[in-house]
Amino acid sequence: MSTQKILNGNQTIAEAVRQIDPDVMAAYPITPSTAIVETIAKFKADGLISGEFVCPESEHSAMSVCIGAASAGGRVMTATASQGLALMWEMLYIAAGLRLPIIAAIANRSLSAPINIHGDHSDTMGARDSGWIQIYSEGCQEAYDNFLQAFRIAEHLDVRTPVLVGLDGFIISHSMEVITVEDDDEVKKFVGEYKPVYPLLDTSRKMTVGPIDFTDYYFEHKRNQIEGIENSPPVIEAVGKEFGQKFGREYGFFEEYRMDDAEICIVVMSSAAGTCKDAIDEMRSEGKRIGLVKPRVFRPFPHHKIADVLKKQKAVAVLDRSSSPGAFGAPLFTEIRSALYDYTERPKIVNYVYGLGGRDIKVEHFKEVALKLEKIADTGKVEEIYGYINLRE
Amino acid sequence: MKKENWKELTIGTINLDAGNSVKNLTGTWRSGKKPEFIEGNCIHCFFCWLYCPHFAILVEGDKVKGINYDYCTGCGICSVECPPKEKAIVMVKEEIKLIERSAK
Ligand code: SF4
Ligand code: SF4
């Protein structure tokens, strides 16, 4: 039987870890993900989990432990944020290159300088080309659900690619929510038994993991790696459906909110989507035809699916909680704008950066965005492609 | 040797033909100098064997027997580490025969 529990995002991840009980958990504490690591350590001390808990001297080493343990054949997870994820950088690429289905919970936080401990997506967006699958959560329930699904996606034989699950620092990691925690046995059944491919501990087989490639093999190995994430969309879809059948909460690549007859639309990920839904409800009651698209899976990006939904809109605003200095817009925007390029029918599209370093985004801000979208829809003209929300100008 | 295309490779860079570096004749890297073993000076301390980065020191029982030129890159470490005053390994000039080597 499932139970209702009052948990914050970090406790929610720790609870999922307790239920799955991976073979190895290696992590170094960093705000705002510390409580994940701390709670797992407590579970271990209390004898509630049997997996190994390793607390090395840095995040670089934590990911290295994960890589070693996963190569050995273990089911492995970690948790980190911000500078911690940045310190893992080179190991992230190695985990993906070795096709190790490691799971990481990331309490999204800004990057220095200036130093700041609050939530934005700079950390995981920086890792967007590392080869990891990226799934973002709107609240604690989604963080829990996404984390459970992450194992099934990563470990699927066609995929075998690491997955990170993002939960906004503080806004989700430290906020209490009543969530449905599924029954331990049902979770174990859903996640299933882990069968490693080519584990190093299988001494009956002679093999080398991570050998050097020169110009004659590197390219082929990289293409071979890319195949894993390219195989993942049908798996992500099937796992999201099966999760829905089993636990009543179905997931896809993105959520459409009040999009049926919408003419203008806001695209925003993670916790801000919750606030945006309130804003849209209010504007809908005023008769505005506005909707929300909330991407859940950022890597692999569902280009065609999202373009199919957005192409009929008159105006679209993509909101990014990270910046990409010098680029043609922030990460989410460039993906979506590029996805729409192949369509003759396509909306006017603008990009707003919001919430860096944990800056609030409120209902009123979404209403300001809607006003701008209405003007663009009416005039058919975009005066400024990029802008910033709730910034002192 | 036929090289696999990307679909034929084992996932995760795994090489199931472990130990195949034996086919990689690193001796072809030698350029200009090679070690020469002078058996009479050798005290069989095995320093050369310990230090050689390519396992290119030939050994029989508890005696050093010479150099395996298929894998010796000519780095000279063995000669530097060799302790006797009259060294048992000296680096000598080697003429490079490109054709002969690449034929291996
Ligand atoms: S020259 Fe270098 S590679 Fe050759 S035998 Fe001596 S130590 Fe080994
Ligand atoms: S280091 Fe010199 S003396 Fe010692 S075993 Fe090698 S060749 Fe002989």
Side-chain angles (χ1 to χ4, degrees):
Chain A
M1 260 264 298
S2 65
T3 46
Q4 303 284 304
K5 287 190 180 174
I6 304 170
L7 298 173
N8 66 33
N10 284 339
Q11 293 166 331
T12 262
I13 296 292
E15 187 68 3
V17 171
R18 182 190 62 72
Q19 295 183 307
I20 298 166
D21 197 359
D23 299 309
V24 176
M25 293 144 282
Y28 186 87
I30 181 168
T31 303
S33 65
T34 303
I36 300 176
V37 185
E38 201 176 86
T39 314
I40 293 170
K42 184 169 164 31
F43 287 157
K44 177 70 184 168
D46 292 348
L48 295 175
I49 48 180
S50 60
E52 289 295 325
F53 175 71
V54 189
C55 193
E57 78 284 3
S58 75
E59 288 86 354
H60 187 282
S61 302
M63 186 46 69
S64 302
V65 168
C66 289
I67 290 168
S71 298
R75 179 180 262 166
V76 178
M77 65 82 54
T78 187
T80 191
S82 183
Q83 309 301 129
L85 185 65
L87 190 53
M88 282 183 184
W89 234 249
E90 63 175 349
M91 306 319 289
L92 292 179
Y93 279 75
I94 293 170
L98 298 182
R99 300 281 293 275
L100 300 171
I102 297 165
I103 308 300
I106 312 293
N108 286 105
R109 169 188 148 183
S110 61
L111 290 173
S112 294
I115 193 163
N116 168 291
I117 57 166
H118 291 279
D120 73 31
H121 297 156
S122 306
D123 48 7
T124 47
M125 282 301 159
R128 68 188 186 273
D129 290 336
S130 63
W132 284 56
I133 291 171
Q134 296 200 355
I135 306 177
Y136 291 82
S137 325
E138 184 186 322
C140 298
Q141 184 72 60
E142 278 196 18
Y144 174 77
D145 295 351
N146 286 339
F147 195 76
L148 298 184
Q149 291 171 63
F151 286 85
R152 286 286 303 278
I153 296 162
E155 293 169 6
H156 192 284
L157 283 174
D158 294 343
V159 181
R160 289 284 153 161
T161 295
V163 176
L164 67 81
V165 173
L167 50 149
D168 287 348
F170 289 103
I171 304 166
I172 302 176
S173 70
H174 286 60
S175 295
M176 294 285 193
E177 190 180 312
V178 179
I179 78 153
T180 303
V181 174
E182 302 300 340
D183 178 71
D184 286 5
D185 289 337
E186 291 304 313
V187 167
K188 280 194 173 64
K189 254 190 252 164
F190 175 79
V191 174
E193 204 189 313
Y194 175 54
K195 290 186 197 75
V197 289
Y198 306 120
L200 273 175
L201 285 182
D202 173 7
T203 50
S204 68
R205 196 168 7 213
K206 282 202 298 175
M207 63 184 164
T208 306
V209 173
I212 187 169
D213 269 359
F214 288 115
T215 47
D216 57 349
Y217 270 100
Y218 182 87
F219 205 172
E220 278 72 22
H221 270 133
K222 274 293 156 192
R223 177 63 188 87
N224 185 287
Q225 175 199 326
I226 291 165
E227 194 66 1
I229 199 163
E230 301 228 312
N231 285 341
S232 69
V235 175
I236 293 169
E237 212 152 28
V239 170
K241 275 218 174 74
E242 190 189 321
F243 193 87
Q245 280 156 7
K246 201 166 166 79
F247 301 124
R249 297 178 300 280
E250 192 178 311
Y251 290 88
F253 280 90
F254 51 86
E255 181 188 339
E256 292 170 57
Y257 187 75
R258 305 194 76 165
M259 284 295 290
D260 283 347
D261 60 345
E263 289 181 339
I264 55 174
C265 162
I266 293 174
V267 181
V268 69
M269 299 200 306
S270 304
S271 62
T275 316
C276 187
K277 284 173 184 171
D278 285 343
I280 283 174
D281 287 346
E282 284 183 26
M283 291 186 279
R284 278 277 177 179
S285 67
E286 294 158 12
K288 296 191 180 186
R289 290 166 74 173
I290 184 166
L292 158 76
V293 169
K294 181 193 80 182
R296 169 181 172 249
V297 181
F298 183 75
R299 283 286 183 270
F301 197 76
H303 294 99
H304 295 300
K305 285 191 171 71
I306 222 161
D308 274 338
V309 171
L310 296 178
K311 67 182 182 197
K312 289 201 181 65
Q313 297 296 302
K314 284 184 178 160
V316 172
V318 180
L319 273 54
D320 271 279
R321 201 163 201 150
S322 66
S323 62
S324 185
F328 198 78
L332 189 55
F333 175 72
T334 52
E335 294 290 341
I336 291 175
R337 192 176 154 100
S338 172
L340 288 163
Y341 183 84
D342 288 332
Y343 293 74
T344 41
E345 178 191 27
R346 60 189 180 215
K348 296 284 172 203
I349 184 162
V350 288
N351 186 204
Y352 299 112
V353 170
Y354 75 97
L356 298 191
R359 177 66 50 87
D360 267 344
I361 183 158
K362 300 177 180 171
V363 168
E364 69 214 48
H365 299 123
F366 288 107
K367 288 185 171 177
E368 283 166 23
V369 170
L371 282 179
K372 288 182 184 162
L373 285 178
E374 278 176 332
K375 199 177 158 205
I376 293 168
D378 286 347
T379 61
K381 273 197 199 100
V382 174
E383 270 159 30
E384 270 183 340
I385 297 186
Y386 319 111
Y388 298 87
I389 297 172
N390 198 12
L391 170 79
R392 292 186 299 279
E393 303 263 7
Chain B
M1 200 172 78
K2 188 196 166 281
K3 292 191 169 81
E4 303 92 323
N5 68 33
W6 70 266
K7 286 177 197 154
E8 291 160 345
L9 291 172
T10 311
I11 73 159
T13 77
I14 283 174
N15 180 358
L16 292 171
D17 188 16
N20 69 353
S21 60
V22 79
K23 296 178 205 156
N24 186 13
L25 301 183
T26 49
T28 59
W29 301 359
R30 237 172 22 250
S31 54
K33 279 185 173 176
K34 68 172 182 182
E36 201 171 78
F37 180 56
I38 304 158
E39 195 160 11
N41 293 345
C42 182
I43 56 170
H44 302 288
C45 64
F46 275 64
F47 275 28
C48 53
W49 177 83
L50 263 176
Y51 279 98
C52 173
H54 293 276
F55 300 103
I57 304 293
L58 295 169
V59 167
E60 258 178 54
D62 56 359
K63 296 268 187 288
V64 164
K65 278 290 165 198
I67 315 287
N68 184 342
Y69 292 109
D70 279 349
Y71 301 106
C72 166
T73 60
C75 70
I77 292 173
C78 52
S79 173
V80 169
E81 296 299 335
C82 181
K85 241 187 213 135
E86 294 292 324
K87 285 195 182 281
I89 297 181
V90 289
M91 299 305 286
V92 298
K93 233 179 149 182
E94 179 185 31
E95 233 175 88
I96 311 159
K97 290 181 196 138
L98 282 176
I99 295 158
E100 185 189 296
R101 281 196 198 159
S102 59
K104 283 211 164 162

